[in-house]
Amino acid sequence: MYAGLKRFAVSLTTSLAALCAASAFAAQPLTGVYRGEVYSQPNTVNAYSTWLGFDVKMGQGHQAKDSWGNIENPGWQLGAWRTWVKAKAGRRFNYSVAMYPSGQGNLASCAAGAYDQRFKNLASNLVAYELQGTIIRLGWEFSGGWMPWYSGNGQQANFAGCFRRIVTAMRTQQPNAGFEFDWNPNYDISAADLAATYPGDAYVDYIGLDMYDQGWNGAYPIPAGCTGSCALTRWQSVWNSQFGPALTKFKSFAQSHGKRLSVPEWGVNDGATMGGGDDTYYVQQMLAFIFNPTNNVGYHSYFDIQAGDGHHQLSSADNTGGNTFVTEFPNAAAIFKNHYAGLAQPTQWSTTKATVSPATATRGQSFNVTGSVTSPSAQTVVVKYEIRNASTTALVTDRTYTAQAFMAGQTRSYTSAFVIPTSLSAGTYRVDTLVFTADWSQTLLYRNDTTFTAN
């Protein structure tokens, strides 16, 4: 979230018509929500789903920026999110990860590798809490001067280097965790800084932009009594001068790098903080962009809270998991909710829980792992079984099935024979079932709930 009232000096003039340019598209964007730092009660995300009438599959959380302990080992935070993610198939965690604590690091040191072990620890802790597949917003909103890892003032190259080091450290430590990394400035970043801070295609899964309905061209706040066409004119003015050009800029940049877009934070904004208030036009335009397949948006997350530096909440979700809150943006809320009323719930890849036969394996002797995978669409993928030490998560052995062609709704069964070497200790081991895109670029499914004993 942004800090204080931030004046965005947008000088972009790219035509909004470029939004109509064709491109390859991904599946329906994943819908997420931020409901505050509800570490002990991520069920408030469920209350949001109840209001929306749509099963929201992604919950968002932010790391504290006060200590290394809260960056590399935030167990107090991850435990609650593990419970929420594991409660229903297809759920994911969207995690804003700090590059270093405020006043306790710098981009140059990070780029030189000084913090590598910190992020290896974080990777292992995410896996320990069974949060594989997390989307990591590493150094989020880095183009904002309020962030410790601000990329301005000549730090663009150091920021890119820091991003590369952290991604490499986390992938090296947990190469099969399926983490995805979101490179996420604010929407008003200059085209030059987009290029200078970009760490490279090998380190980025999503190109994200945060964009709230605050206006700086004199149209906001909307005066009392300015309703109907008067308000619409002001809303359109802000959109056409700030938001439309920014979306065009980001879409073009993402397409040039073959990456999916994301909108990790967006929301209406109250007039007291230079917002457009109950802005139906902003919500309509944002949803139209996000769900237009030619824009290749992988996910979006609405910032559904009343923050100290801006009110945004549309839903009736309260902070105890109920639905008693009354929004100050009823018309925008209706537009948002009505969009989802006509939207089909996206289907997900699924798998049965793997079984081990015999149930207790003997080291040095063969045993079988069996399970099935169901595809929501016609697609060719990679299916993989991994055997890991349940306590250390060390990989013991694996089996990969490449070029697996599925029809929509098809279920395919897989049985693989494994042997745990006698050189390894007796104890508890684990089967992980994974599905990747055919080129290994995306993790579609990661299931790790089968444990067994090896004597």
Side-chain angles (χ1 to χ4, degrees), residues 133-157:
T134 292
I135 298 173
I136 295 172
R137 296 173 63 207
L138 178 58
W140 75 102
E141 295 189 349
F142 60 82
S143 62
W146 55 92
M147 286 302 191
W149 44 84
Y150 175 48
S151 62
N153 297 330
Q155 292 298 307
Q156 291 88 342

Side-chain angles (χ1 to χ4, degrees), residues 277-291:
D278 196 5
D279 188 346
T280 55
Y281 187 78
Y282 167 81
V283 172
Q284 288 170 332
Q285 295 299 108
M286 287 296 292
L287 291 173
F289 181 89
I290 289 166
F291 284 89

Side-chain angles (χ1 to χ4, degrees), residues 111-174:
Y115 313 141
D116 286 4
Q117 188 58 50
R118 306 281 193 179
F119 290 95
K120 289 181 179 181
N121 294 343
L122 173 62
S124 292
N125 283 318
L126 283 165
V127 170
Y129 282 95
E130 300 182 90
L131 290 169
Q132 293 91 341
T134 292
I135 298 173
I136 295 172
R137 296 173 63 207
L138 178 58
W140 75 102
E141 295 189 349
F142 60 82
S143 62
W146 55 92
M147 286 302 191
W149 44 84
Y150 175 48
S151 62
N153 297 330
Q155 292 298 307
Q156 291 88 342
N158 281 332
F159 176 86
C162 177
F163 197 101
R164 287 191 292 268
R165 290 298 303 220
I166 294 173
V167 171
T168 299
M170 294 185 71
R171 287 177 174 169
T172 300
Q173 184 70 10
Q174 295 293 339

Side-chain angles (χ1 to χ4, degrees), residues 23 140 176 186 393:
S23 69
W140 75 102
N176 298 298
N186 289 285
T393 73

Side-chain angles (χ1 to χ4, degrees), residues 35 38 41 43-44 313 317-322:
R35 285 288 304 130
V38 287
Q41 293 193 40
N43 64 326
T44 62
Q313 186 166 346
D318 59 37
N319 291 332
T320 63

Side-chain angles (χ1 to χ4, degrees), residues 28-356:
Q28 176 180 304
L30 179 65
T31 290
V33 69
Y34 178 68
R35 285 288 304 130
E37 298 305 320
V38 287
Y39 309 124
S40 62
Q41 293 193 40
N43 64 326
T44 62
V45 177
N46 301 341
Y48 179 84
S49 293
T50 298
W51 168 78
L52 189 58
F54 187 87
D55 189 16
V56 174
K57 294 289 191 179
M58 187 177 73
Q60 185 181 93
H62 296 68
Q63 280 195 338
K65 302 187 287 287
D66 58 348
S67 69
W68 276 114
N70 280 332
I71 293 174
E72 60 186 308
N73 187 23
W76 54 276
Q77 184 178 21
L78 301 183
W81 281 111
R82 177 201 179 279
T83 299
W84 184 81
V85 168
K86 300 293 286 185
K88 185 176 288 189
R91 285 181 172 176
R92 297 185 74 178
F93 185 34
N94 181 244
Y95 199 26
S96 303
V97 169
M99 287 178 152
Y100 46 81
S102 296
Q104 300 178 53
N106 60 73
L107 289 171
S109 295
C110 176
Y115 313 141
D116 286 4
Q117 188 58 50
R118 306 281 193 179
F119 290 95
K120 289 181 179 181
N121 294 343
L122 173 62
S124 292
N125 283 318
L126 283 165
V127 170
Y129 282 95
E130 300 182 90
L131 290 169
Q132 293 91 341
T134 292
I135 298 173
I136 295 172
R137 296 173 63 207
L138 178 58
W140 75 102
E141 295 189 349
F142 60 82
S143 62
W146 55 92
M147 286 302 191
W149 44 84
Y150 175 48
S151 62
N153 297 330
Q155 292 298 307
Q156 291 88 342
N158 281 332
F159 176 86
C162 177
F163 197 101
R164 287 191 292 268
R165 290 298 303 220
I166 294 173
V167 171
T168 299
M170 294 185 71
R171 287 177 174 169
T172 300
Q173 184 70 10
Q174 295 293 339
N176 298 298
F179 299 137
E180 292 188 303
F181 292 88
D182 195 326
W183 178 78
N184 176 204
N186 289 285
Y187 80 92
D188 64 328
I189 188 173
S190 70
D193 277 355
L194 270 178
T197 55
Y198 189 66
D201 293 343
Y203 305 92
V204 172
D205 297 290
Y206 300 92
I207 291 173
L209 69 153
D210 291 357
M211 193 164 75
Y212 292 88
D213 184 28
Q214 287 181 300
W216 310 108
N217 69 348
Y220 292 171
I222 295 175
C226 179
T227 59
S229 61
C230 174
L232 178 60
T233 297
R234 289 171 178 263
W235 292 335
Q236 290 173 332
S237 172
V238 174
W239 183 271
N240 292 336
S241 66
Q242 294 181 198
F243 306 142
L247 291 174
T248 300
K249 173 184 63 177
F250 270 83
K251 176 185 175 180
S252 297
F253 187 81
Q255 286 181 341
S256 71
H257 290 277
K259 299 298 179 181
R260 292 166 291 172
L261 279 173
S262 69
V263 190
E265 293 184 26
W266 69 281
V268 297
N269 218 92
D270 61 287
T273 54
M274 295 300 293
D278 196 5
D279 188 346
T280 55
Y281 187 78
Y282 167 81
V283 172
Q284 288 170 332
Q285 295 299 108
M286 287 296 292
L287 291 173
F289 181 89
I290 289 166
F291 284 89
N292 182 344
T294 66
N295 296 326
N296 198 19
V297 176
Y299 79 89
H300 77 107
S301 185
Y302 189 85
F303 210 79
D304 193 60
I305 66 165
Q306 303 289 84
D309 54 0
H311 292 178
H312 317 289
Q313 186 166 346
L314 299 179
S315 81
S316 61
D318 59 37
N319 291 332
T320 63
N323 287 91
T324 63
F325 182 82
V326 178
T327 181
E328 65 193 80
F329 313 109
N331 296 310
I335 293 292
F336 192 97
K337 190 171 181 178
N338 287 342
H339 175 85
Y340 278 89
L343 198 63
Q345 185 74 42
T347 54
Q348 305 286 332
W349 284 84
S350 62
T351 180
T352 58
K353 183 176 180 178
T355 60
V356 175

